[in-house]
Amino acid sequence: MIYIEAAGVEEDDMYYFEIDENGTAYRQISKHGDLHSEVSTAPDFVLCDQEVFIEAGDRILTKEQFDFEWQQAIKPNLAAWMKTKSQYPPGSPVSGEIAMFYPQGSIIRLSNNAYAVTDYNKLRDRTPAQYLYPGYCVEGVVADYDEDNLWLVIEDCKIKEGNTI
């Protein structure tokens, strides 16, 4: 992965990206001054959907430098994340609706504060194409936690019978 710090259009804006060799963003921080940040995970879901180019004036960061900024940006969300983990231990059956698609996989909204990711290709293999859109309900089992993105990792996903939560 490549880590970038880029100045925004406004004077106090800074953007931090974690991108792969193709310029696909996996994590992003949008800082607006010292007091407000938006991140590519809940609750903001601000992630560039276009190829990210390294521009003149951008600074290449180490993973450690990016992770320091990331931890500062997600700090306000950690209490909700701890609650989510206590509500959904590994092995728990869950259901929710497809919220969006990210490079990491399909993002599933379980509740207002709880999100999960599942492997898009595995879900696609088990789902008729007409149901593979945001808003359709999915069932699965909690397999793990993604501590970087503060979401559950769910497996064995399928479209819910009757497609209602």
Side-chain angles (χ1 to χ4, degrees):
M1 292 296 205
I2 302 165
Y3 303 92
I4 303 168
E5 176 186 68
V9 176
E10 299 296 322
E11 185 177 331
D12 290 345
D13 288 354
M14 290 298 291
Y15 297 92
Y16 298 84
F17 297 97
E18 175 185 62
I19 62 171
D20 66 12
E21 65 279 354
N22 299 315
T24 301
Y26 282 76
R27 290 190 289 167
Q28 177 179 331
I29 307 162
S30 302
K31 284 177 83 169
H32 310 288
D34 290 334
L35 301 177
H36 180 68
S37 294
E38 294 173 317
V39 292
S40 54
T41 190
D44 306 312
F45 289 106
V46 175
L47 183 66
C48 184
D49 63 354
Q50 306 294 313
E51 182 178 354
V52 176
F53 295 97
I54 301 172
E55 303 285 343
D58 291 352
R59 188 167 72 110
I60 302 299
L61 303 175
T62 65
K63 181 179 186 330
E64 292 75 21
Q65 289 170 316
F66 178 88
D67 283 340
F68 175 81
E69 295 293 338
W70 182 257
Q71 290 303 317
Q72 296 303 309
I74 65 170
K75 195 177 285 187
N77 308 328
L78 292 178
W81 172 235
M82 297 306 286
K83 183 177 179 184
T84 295
K85 291 196 310 183
S86 70
Q87 291 174 324
Y88 300 100
S92 299
V94 294
S95 64
E97 68 179 25
I98 298 172
M100 66 199 79
F101 301 98
Y102 261 27
Q104 294 93 330
S106 302
I107 306 300
I108 312 298
R109 180 184 302 109
L110 304 176
S111 70
N112 285 339
N113 295 320
Y115 288 84
V117 64
T118 193
D119 184 292
Y120 171 80
N121 293 322
K122 289 180 183 177
L123 181 61
R124 185 189 65 207
D125 290 346
R126 301 176 79 178
T127 304
Q130 68 266 28
Y131 299 119
L132 203 53
Y133 289 95
Y136 280 94
C137 300
V138 173
E139 294 177 322
V141 176
V142 177
D144 203 356
Y145 303 123
D146 181 331
E147 297 288 350
D148 285 336
N149 291 296
L150 310 182
W151 53 45
L152 307 172
V153 177
I154 57 175
E155 294 180 346
D156 300 323
C157 291
K158 62 182 181 187
I159 292 296
K160 186 173 179 177
E161 287 291 321
N163 203 33
T164 58
I165 291 185

